[in-house]
Amino acid sequence: MAALLALSLAGCGSANGDELPEGAVMVECAVGGAGSFAPDCSMELHEDADGRIAILRHPDGGFRRFQLGVPGEGLITADGMEQAEVVPGDGMVEVRVGADRYRLPIRQ
């Protein structure tokens, strides 16, 4: 999981035509209990006092923050009581928190 989120798609537009912040990329998500994934969420990576943080922004303006590179865990929720469940896949991981799910690319 430490190699999570090796991305270089900065400057791509979102599905609805809005410009993404510099360094952000679109990722597949199914938020609020949606049954299927769509490339509707954006992801930004930041460094702060706690280490590397990924911010996943929902199309409705909501967001979740995840701390990356946590020893023994890899990825954990940075806010709230609900903990992330990480399920490995082919070239990605699925991150589940409550009714929200995200497919995040990983470096091989």
Side-chain angles (χ1 to χ4, degrees):
M1 293 308 159
L4 185 67
L5 312 175
L7 302 168
S8 61
L9 301 175
C12 295
S14 69
N16 63 10
D18 295 338
E19 288 298 315
L20 293 175
E22 184 175 337
V25 297
M26 296 304 293
V27 295
E28 289 189 339
C29 61
V31 296
S36 60
F37 284 88
D40 293 335
C41 293
S42 67
M43 180 177 64
E44 304 164 36
L45 298 177
H46 298 276
E47 294 275 341
D48 69 10
D50 295 324
R52 292 186 69 202
I53 299 290
I55 302 172
L56 283 295
R57 297 190 188 277
H58 302 173
D60 67 1
F63 67 94
R64 290 203 184 261
R65 291 176 359 110
F66 298 96
Q67 188 173 348
L68 306 176
V70 177
E73 297 288 332
L75 176 148
I76 63 170
T77 51
D79 304 311
M81 295 294 295
E82 293 180 288
Q83 291 303 308
E85 176 186 0
V86 179
V87 179
D90 186 27
M92 61 89 184
V93 293
E94 183 175 318
V95 178
R96 302 172 184 165
V97 181
D100 300 332
R101 299 177 295 147
Y102 311 92
R103 287 184 179 156
L104 307 178
I106 57 174
R107 187 180 318 169
Q108 298 297 320

